[in-house]
Amino acid sequence: MTTADALTLRNLTAGYNGIAAIRDVDLVVHAGELVTLLGPNGAGKTTTLLTVCGVVSPMHGEVLLGGQRVPAGRPHVLARRGLGHVPENRGLFFELTAAQNMRLATKSKVEVDRVLELFPALPALMGRRAGVLSGGEQQMLAIARALARRPRVLMVDELSLGLAPLVVQSLLASLRNAVDDDGIAVLLIEQHIELALGAADRAYVLNHGRIALEGSAESLKNERALIESSYLGDLDEVVS
Amino acid sequence: MTAVLEIEALTVTYGGVRAVAGLDLTVEPGEIVGLIGPNGAGKTSAVDAISGFTPSGGNVRLAGSSLNRLKPHQRIRAGLARSFQSLELFDDLSVRDNLRVASRRLRWWSALVDLVRPNRGHDDEHVDNALRTLGLDDVADRLPSELSHGVRNLVSVARAVVSQPKVVLLDEPGAGLDSDETEALGARLRRFADEGTAILLIDHDMGLVMSICDRVYVLDFGQLIASGPTEQVRNDPRVLHAYLGEDA
Amino acid sequence: MTYVQFAILGLGAGAIYAAVALGVLLVHRGSGVVNFAYGAMAMSVVYVYAILRSDGNLNVPIVGAPVMHLGAPLGFWPATLIALAYAAVLGFLCHLLMSGPLRNATTLARVIATVGIMTYLQATAALRYGTLSTSVPAAIPQAIIEISGARVPRDRIILTAVVIGIALALAALFKLTRVGLAIRGAAENEHAAAYLGWSPVRLSALTWVGGTVLAGVIAILVAPITSLDPTIFTLFVIPALGAALLARFRSFVVCVAAGLGIGMLQSVVTKLSVDFGFMRNLTGLREGVPFIVIVIALVAVGASLPGRGAMAEKRPPPAPSTVATFKIPAIVSALGLVAIIATSGGWRYALMTSMVTALLCLSLVVLTGFVGQISLAQMTFAGMGGFMLSKFAEGMGIPFPIAPLLAALAAAAVGFVVALPALRVRGVHLAIVTLALAQGVEEFVFKNPHFSGGFSGTHVPAPKLFGLDLSVNAKGGGFRIAFGVMVLIVLTLVAVAVINLRRSDTGRAMLAVRANERAAAAAGISVVGIKITAFTLSAFIAGLAGTLLAYQQSGGNLSFESFGVFASLALLTSAFIGGITTVSGGIIGGVLASGGLLSFAATKWITGYSRYELIVGGLGLIVVAIRQPIGVAGEIIMNLPKNRRARRAEPPRRTSASAAGARPAVLQTPELQGGVK
Ligand SMILES: Nc1ncnc2c1ncn2[C@@H]1O[C@H](COP(=O)(O)OP(=O)(O)OP(=O)(O)O)[C@@H](O)[C@H]1O
Ligand SMILES: Nc1ncnc2c1ncn2[C@@H]1O[C@H](COP(=O)(O)OP(=O)(O)OP(=O)(O)O)[C@@H](O)[C@H]1O
Ligand SMILES: [Mg+2]
Ligand SMILES: [Mg+2]
């Protein structure tokens, strides 16, 4: 394996109460690459990310971060090894102000100022309690907080959730820059297929807990029909 | 037709922050009206104010009668319904019970009668209908915490419509739905509207908003910057600049 | 002396309240738990310290642990260091419990676990150190100084200064340092803290160890002023909780100010009652007044619905809907009937106690189990029922079935009043408000000789129906079957009513309020109405139980001592162990309660059990809190054959949305829904 594999999922099976929600998932994100994980609702995308960061423990298979196996159930160790995660529920500390939320991510004021430049709306809100921010403001804060740690691998669950179209466009562009300039690896869950494919290098489509389709974003853009049928879940595919 | 929901000079302030500044808005029966705008523009605050969850200035009238002095649950009983951007499902009730709770009207004596005769002659027709219409039959007996985000979103929509309201305020019902689900949701909302419900729809999915809304209001910094038929708003330069992006 | 001087005198008690309040607040910040054991933990540290100073022995509160003799009595510093080391270990053990087995437990379970720790520490202390009060050598100079004419011991002033210093330091820690912020963050969202690289386990260890060491420091400073016995500090915990509550469990500085204020207010009230004769009869004024202030202040600032982004409570314990048929209640009542007839003497009495306690537990099932309102005023409602029964039956001569029903209605009225603050205060905060109210009623009403007969108690005439004697004591000694049957009938009726409630619309609305008040309002539910209903109903049931208790207790002599705050706390724990969300749990709670069947059996069969009853009880609480959020009843329900099967079965998988709508119906084939065959 090359060191360029920032994140590798091998044969990963995981779920809740002994019932698998994802099965035999193989997935790789290289350093300097933006990969998007697509799939219909309930496909198992969130479960995949939660398994990677050790909140859901795998029933089978393994996760490698920077080539090393990751311990289950210790998300903070992973975070220190360079994994950033914006969870589906955003994981903000509602009782703390936006500024305090940022401070918990990093000591460095420079880093905070750097990421705040990506979100022109945020600086004015830093004194407010995170709990009272609007849905989109919370999403921006969560992403900013994860970026401020300069993760080597960043996972974002539903990037565009609650964000205005303008913000999504500029955010995708900034993520693209971070990938190209700093060589970080990004794994993105996104429901807007066009947007996601427009920014990504490669894509996986998950359905019924299995990888139904994978390929370069470029090639998939021209294969909308293929994606749609993978969303519906080809009968053969699932039963086999 | 006359408007079933009339909002006049609605104002919401939190401490020093003026989130909604004098919003005028109407929704007619059978109409789907969009409310869009940048993040933090005050859309959720407007919904909170209309449904009584946050103190506000101005007038809110439902089917001709004023809601100004009513508490949230009284406004709901008067025929308003809403969903939450943060979903706010009842986490320890099954999906079906989430809907049942919203479909029943308790009287002050209900508790006393319930001690002796629970389940008196109720049918769950509306609940079953809502579950079926939103495709939630299969998950009816599961807890919301076991569902994926998209499905939880649909549960929150189902809970809002199950009480057969005159007006529904939906706060980003399309967030996190995949493209098929979004399309299906659009069709369902259209059907609710055709049956006479008035819908105020907040969403950032322009595909959804532009395809099903009859009219759209655009809010920025708490103030209307545009309103009118969907087509017209879509090409309004101020809206493009503030919200959609010039190349949209 | 002037009022100002009295106020300054009050600084002494105030500093103690403030100090304890700070510790409680610190632990709450870091773990979200109101630590009822805080006083007991401080007490045990001070015992270790005091024994080191007096005998040079290291005697830790573990049953059976050897006493280590360290030579001659130790001086201040070595004794303090060893005692604080012990405090650190104790805090660490609590941390292991909270972030290990109780990590995902409900808030209620964690609070109950602290009650378990409290019971354990107090009982062990009584066993190992005796219950006599001892004095502790002073740690700070005690010379008297004069401030504006008031002669105040110097240690009070120093203590006040120390406490203010600690508060400022803690405030700075939690506002300004990253670790402090991380502790607050992790208490709210552990995963999110971990995603940012903070170890939740380490943060928890830090708070518990820090909090316990702080408790030790405070206790070593305070104990010389108050003298030491196993229940010391439990007395201070109540006003301290009040102070913490006034600070809304947020601000350390407000918390200290409130603690000092309460102490000063109490002192001033004492002076008032000396100056104004009519107040002399209000015996409870000193203890009672601060609570009235607290409750009013809290209610004034509370909001009737939580605002946007209010911190959500951790998930409450599940409330499984109970059996749909009435087979089980019928069988259980039949068994109860057989048991009443088959038993005699102490057994029969214990059975009656169990049944009455089960009734009390059911009152909590409605209020805490269904609506999530933690109440520490249940025994107050019961007491109201009992004393009003005496008033109605003895005082006004109202005949049997009417008098107890009226008394229960009177209790319900009190429940209605207690519900009013609950409309604006929630969660653990509410628990403390109910505690304050209970304390207030106890001080003003129950202890008032005009109302309750004071220490000599009050009399309740024997119940008679159509010439049938239903009183508890039979003529030739022993206990009457008729009384047992009456209790059984009441219990059965109430149990069936509560089962009905759970299955009804009102029951579901209650669960909805418990889950999310904002969403409940958006579903058209009057949150206020539901809370008032629950409080009133619960108080009615408790009041009913109170009248039975009055009939049962020593043949009709009722004393206020059975209805205090700690009795309410004990009841809450029994109900919790049994299972606070189900009717069966309530019944089991009655069986397990102190004085009930289980404890009677244990006392009878295990020699020396009574000595260890409290210790066993404390440990039992912790074990149940760990194992089963829905108590013993939950354990049984989960292991019913049908539920075992249900758990193993694969839940249905939701197919794509289009399956239900316009798209091809092929997708609904069973193969797909069940996943891969
Ligand atoms: N805590 C849980 N307990 C049991 N089942 C769960 C739990 N969380 C998720 N599931 C189930 O696992 C499956 C995958 O869910 P997941 O949240 O990973 O989907 P997703 O792809 O993220 O969907 P969405 O786009 O709607 O967020 C779903 O069928 C869901 O019902
Ligand atoms: N309690 C509060 N205190 C202070 N500011 C608040 C409070 N509640 C909301 N705000 C602010 O009011 C503004 C409007 O918020 P609102 O939630 O209405 O926005 P929105 O239009 O719904 O945005 P989004 O699309 O991101 O959901 C935001 O800037 C928010 O931070
Ligand atoms: Mg998801
Ligand atoms: Mg919003």
Side-chain angles (χ1 to χ4, degrees):
Chain A
M1 160 208 343
T2 63
T3 46
D5 292 0
L7 179 68
T8 312
L9 281 61
R10 253 195 233 139
N11 239 335
L12 199 64
T13 300
Y16 309 89
N17 310 322
I19 301 158
I22 56 169
R23 295 169 210 252
D24 303 324
V25 170
D26 284 304
L27 185 153
V28 183
V29 188
H30 303 286
E33 194 183 37
L34 199 160
V35 174
T36 174
L37 181 58
L38 305 170
N41 294 130
K45 306 179 296 294
T46 299
T47 308
T48 307
L49 295 204
L50 289 180
T51 315
V52 169
C53 68
V55 170
V56 171
S57 23
M59 295 151 79
H60 199 17
E62 59 182 2
V63 178
L64 305 176
L65 183 67
Q68 281 183 305
R69 284 197 66 142
V70 306
R74 298 171 64 86
H76 64 280
V77 175
L78 289 176
R80 289 181 197 159
R81 282 211 221 141
L83 181 70
H85 181 198
V86 180
E88 195 168 46
N89 63 10
R90 302 187 179 118
L92 295 176
F93 306 118
F94 278 6
E95 292 286 294
L96 302 183
T97 64
Q100 289 171 329
N101 268 278
M102 291 301 285
R103 251 192 98 196
L104 281 182
T106 172
K107 278 191 218 126
S108 148
K109 287 217 165 56
V110 181
E111 288 296 316
V112 173
D113 293 339
R114 176 183 66 88
V115 293
L116 287 186
E117 276 179 19
L118 305 179
F119 301 93
L122 277 186
L125 309 172
M126 294 309 277
R128 277 184 213 170
R129 222 159 45 77
V132 303
L133 295 181
S134 84
E137 290 165 349
Q138 287 185 5
Q139 179 77 349
M140 293 183 226
L141 180 62
I143 296 173
R145 202 178 64 173
L147 282 173
R149 291 176 52 78
R150 281 194 181 270
R152 276 187 288 144
V153 180
L154 175 65
M155 307 192 295
V156 185
D157 200 341
E158 310 261 359
L159 178 92
S160 69
L161 200 71
L163 290 181
L166 253 181
V167 179
V168 179
Q169 287 160 19
S170 80
L171 184 57
L172 279 174
S174 339
L175 278 184
R176 192 65 247 180
N177 284 342
V179 169
D180 293 339
D181 302 349
D182 307 346
I184 74 168
V186 176
L187 178 60
L188 206 68
I189 294 181
E190 181 50 67
Q191 293 295 6
H192 289 262
I193 302 177
E194 268 83 29
L195 278 178
L197 290 181
D201 297 303
R202 285 188 306 117
Y204 292 82
V205 179
L206 201 63
N207 197 4
H208 290 294
R210 293 172 185 275
I211 300 283
L213 193 67
E214 65 172 285
S216 76
E218 213 40 59
S219 66
L220 287 176
K221 256 188 252 174
N222 307 320
E223 303 268 12
R224 254 327 274 266
L226 196 60
I227 296 185
E228 268 175 20
S229 69
S230 71
Y231 261 54
L232 290 177
D234 227 13
L235 212 59
D236 300 339
E237 162 83 46
V238 177
V239 175
S240 64
Chain B
M1 214 184 290
T2 53
V4 59
L5 180 69
E6 296 161 274
I7 312 292
E8 236 175 59
L10 190 74
T11 308
V12 180
T13 29
Y14 308 107
V17 185
R18 173 159 284 216
V20 181
L23 172 66
D24 295 316
L25 179 153
T26 57
V27 189
E28 291 176 10
E31 200 182 25
I32 305 183
V33 171
L35 179 59
I36 61 175
N39 295 123
K43 305 178 293 296
T44 300
S45 302
V47 167
D48 280 349
I50 296 170
S51 52
F53 282 77
T54 192
S56 61
N59 289 316
V60 180
R61 297 168 70 79
L62 182 74
S65 52
S66 168
L67 296 185
N68 292 352
R69 320 190 68 120
L70 298 189
K71 300 208 175 66
H73 73 273
Q74 293 168 324
R75 298 187 187 203
I76 304 298
R77 290 180 181 190
L80 200 65
R82 68 165 294 183
S83 72
F84 290 91
Q85 188 170 9
S86 44
L87 305 190
E88 315 261 343
L89 301 178
F90 303 121
D91 275 335
D92 44 4
L93 293 182
S94 69
V95 169
R96 181 188 301 280
D97 280 350
N98 262 274
L99 268 58
R100 270 192 191 155
V101 163
S103 75
R104 300 287 164 73
R105 288 290 165 266
L106 297 174
R107 314 266 163 204
W108 65 265
W109 66 83
S110 300
L112 288 179
V113 185
D114 280 344
L115 291 175
V116 189
R117 284 189 58 207
N119 306 327
R120 64 211 109 81
H122 283 310
D123 62 73
D124 275 348
E125 192 193 310
H126 295 318
V127 173
D128 291 338
N129 268 342
L131 286 173
R132 198 166 336 110
T133 324
L134 285 152
L136 294 167
D137 284 320
D138 292 343
V139 296
D141 295 319
R142 299 188 58 185
L143 294 177
S145 56
E146 301 171 350
L147 302 175
S148 77
H149 184 264
V151 181
R152 283 207 298 274
N153 222 330
L154 294 178
V155 176
S156 88
V157 175
R159 194 178 62 184
V161 298
V162 74
S163 60
Q164 311 272 295
K166 297 191 189 93
V167 179
V168 204
L169 317 171
L170 295 175
D171 200 350
E172 306 205 12
L177 292 187
D178 65 43
S179 38
D180 287 345
E181 289 282 5
T182 310
E183 205 177 298
L185 177 71
R188 286 158 189 155
L189 293 184
R190 195 67 258 177
R191 203 174 325 148
F192 286 128
D194 291 343
E195 287 162 11
T197 316
I199 301 178
L200 182 68
L201 173 72
I202 298 179
D203 215 293
H204 289 299
D205 184 336
M206 282 309 107
L208 177 67
V209 172
M210 296 302 174
S211 66
I212 65 168
C213 289
D214 302 305
R215 287 185 298 128
V216 178
Y217 290 85
V218 189
L219 217 52
D220 193 14
F221 292 110
Q223 277 170 326
L224 277 184
I225 56 169
S227 65
T230 309
E231 261 325 297
Q232 175 191 330
V233 168
R234 189 210 295 266
N235 299 315
D236 187 312
R238 278 194 296 179
V239 179
L240 288 176
H241 176 73
Y243 182 57
L244 296 172
E246 309 289 351
D247 52 347
Chain C
M1 281 210 292
T2 65
Y3 283 96
V4 175
Q5 290 164 347
F6 263 91
I8 292 172
L9 267 184
L11 272 184
I16 300 177
Y17 303 156
V20 177
L22 274 184
V24 172
L25 189 51
L26 173 64
V27 173
H28 186 266
R29 266 276 150 107
S31 62
V33 169
V34 169
N35 186 1
F36 279 97
Y38 200 76
M41 289 162 81
M43 173 272 297
S44 84
V45 177
V46 126
Y47 260 113
V48 169
Y49 165 82
I51 295 174
L52 282 170
R53 296 262 341 235
S54 61
D55 312 337
N57 288 342
L58 179 59
N59 186 348
V60 293
I62 299 172
V63 183
V67 177
M68 255 187 288
H69 189 61
L70 305 180
L74 300 187
F76 172 73
W77 284 112
T80 303
L81 287 181
I82 296 178
L84 291 186
Y86 157 76
V89 173
L90 182 64
F92 193 72
L93 289 176
C94 290
H95 148 72
L96 288 183
L97 183 69
M98 291 293 169
S99 69
L102 286 176
R103 186 166 185 169
N104 297 317
T106 61
T107 312
L108 183 59
R110 290 150 68 97
V111 172
I112 293 286
T114 70
V115 175
I117 298 172
M118 173 183 93
T119 315
Y120 169 83
L121 284 175
Q122 279 186 358
T124 326
L127 270 186
R128 284 182 78 95
Y129 315 130
T131 49
L132 292 181
S133 121
T134 48
S135 68
V136 179
I140 35 183
Q142 283 179 308
I144 306 279
I145 54 170
E146 217 164 284
I147 302 177
S148 65
R151 293 164 56 79
V152 191
R154 193 146 150 211
D155 51 359
R156 313 292 156 97
I157 304 297
I158 297 180
L159 194 58
T160 307
V162 168
V163 167
I164 293 175
I166 295 176
L168 292 176
L170 285 175
L173 177 78
F174 280 98
K175 268 235 170 63
L176 304 178
T177 71
R178 289 182 78 220
V179 175
L181 291 175
I183 289 176
R184 284 167 67 185
E188 184 185 334
N189 190 334
E190 211 175 79
H191 285 318
Y195 296 153
L196 299 179
W198 297 93
S199 158
V201 174
R202 233 177 268 171
L203 292 172
S204 148
L206 196 64
T207 355
W208 279 99
V209 170
T212 316
V213 169
L214 179 65
V217 171
I218 290 166
I220 290 170
L221 293 180
V222 165
I225 303 177
T226 60
S227 90
L228 176 62
D229 68 64
T231 55
I232 183 195
F233 293 122
T234 43
L235 296 176
F236 304 141
V237 159
I238 295 177
L241 283 176
L245 194 53
L246 266 185
R248 312 221 90 200
F249 280 88
R250 286 222 182 101
S251 158
F252 290 98
V253 177
V254 175
C255 172
V256 162
L260 294 173
I262 292 176
M264 291 176 9
L265 188 61
Q266 282 187 338
S267 183
V268 169
V269 169
T270 314
K271 162 96 172 138
L272 274 175
S273 62
V274 171
D275 288 357
F276 299 94
F278 74 93
M279 295 176 96
R280 218 163 295 155
N281 290 333
L282 296 175
T283 41
L285 213 51
R286 190 183 139 84
E287 276 72 29
V289 161
F291 294 107
I292 297 177
V293 176
I294 290 168
V295 171
I296 292 174
L298 270 176
V299 173
V301 297
S304 59
L305 275 182
R308 179 202 289 202
M311 224 206 305
E313 289 272 323
K314 283 238 170 88
R315 265 184 73 188
S321 180
T322 21
V323 278
T325 67
F326 289 98
K327 235 191 313 183
I328 294 183
I331 295 173
V332 172
S333 324
L335 280 179
L337 186 63
V338 172
I340 293 168
I341 297 169
T343 51
S344 63
W347 280 105
R348 187 178 283 165
Y349 195 80
L351 178 62
M352 292 169 179
T353 306
S354 277
M355 290 193 296
V356 176
T357 315
L359 202 54
L360 287 166
C361 289
L362 287 183
S363 76
L364 273 170
V365 168
V366 172
L367 188 57
T368 310
F370 294 171
V371 198
Q373 312 291 304
I374 303 174
S375 158
L376 288 172
Q378 292 312 101
M379 291 311 286
T380 310
F381 302 147
M384 204 38 101
F387 289 122
M388 288 313 284
L389 173 64
S390 160
K391 286 256 171 303
F392 290 138
E394 181 96 347
M396 304 181 194
I398 299 176
F400 162 65
I402 299 173
L405 282 177
L406 280 180
L409 282 177
V414 177
F416 181 88
V417 174
V418 175
L420 299 180
L423 304 181
R424 284 159 170 269
V425 186
R426 344 197 120 66
V428 193
H429 297 196
L430 175 65
I432 298 168
V433 172
T434 59
L435 186 147
L437 285 167
Q439 181 86 355
V441 173
E442 186 180 349
E443 297 294 343
F444 285 122
V445 184
F446 291 176
K447 283 191 181 167
N448 186 337
H450 300 295
F451 183 78
S452 67
F455 283 95
S456 54
T458 185
H459 184 257
V460 178
K464 283 206 180 62
L465 190 62
F466 309 126
L468 190 66
D469 190 351
L470 295 173
S471 66
V472 64
N473 290 318
K475 288 238 167 48
F479 306 102
R480 235 183 264 280
I481 290 182
F483 180 77
V485 173
M486 173 174 81
V487 176
L488 181 67
I489 290 173
V490 174
L491 177 60
T492 308
L493 288 179
V494 170
V496 169
V498 176
I499 292 175
N500 280 341
L501 185 67
R502 169 62 187 87
R503 294 161 55 217
S504 72
D505 288 344
T506 310
R508 270 189 293 272
M510 287 178 161
L511 290 180
V513 169
R514 183 181 89 153
N516 189 328
E517 290 184 17
R518 273 161 73 80
I525 294 171
S526 160
V527 175
V528 168
I530 288 287
K531 284 184 180 173
I532 289 183
T533 307
F535 264 97
T536 314
L537 185 62
S538 169
F540 180 82
I541 299 175
L544 214 51
T547 63
L548 294 176
L549 214 54
Y551 285 130
Q552 187 196 6
Q553 268 189 3
S554 55
N557 213 356
L558 198 59
S559 149
F560 67 82
E561 281 159 331
S562 342
F563 301 112
V565 167
F566 286 93
S568 290
L569 196 58
L571 179 70
L572 180 64
T573 59
S574 296
F576 181 83
I577 296 187
I580 201 150
T581 55
T582 55
V583 170
S584 43
I587 309 284
I588 295 171
V591 173
L592 300 178
S594 156
L597 283 174
L598 189 76
S599 75
F600 185 77
T603 325
K604 203 156 180 102
W605 293 332
I606 307 171
T607 41
Y609 175 77
S610 57
R611 265 167 67 90
Y612 298 101
E613 174 165 14
L614 283 173
I615 297 178
V616 174
L619 293 176
L621 263 186
I622 299 175
V623 171
V624 174
I626 292 170
R627 260 200 71 78
Q628 205 19 289
I630 31 184
V632 177
E635 187 87 358
I636 296 171
I637 292 173
M638 289 304 166
N639 284 309
L640 290 178
K642 71 167 191 222
N643 287 332
R644 285 192 160 200
R645 247 178 288 126
R647 251 185 308 167
R648 239 176 288 124
E650 184 144 352
R653 196 186 259 285
R654 188 171 180 282
T655 46
S656 159
S658 27
R663 304 276 171 129
V666 203
L667 289 170
Q668 273 179 327
T669 50
E671 287 87 349
L672 258 180
Q673 297 192 1
V676 182
K677 283 278 141 89

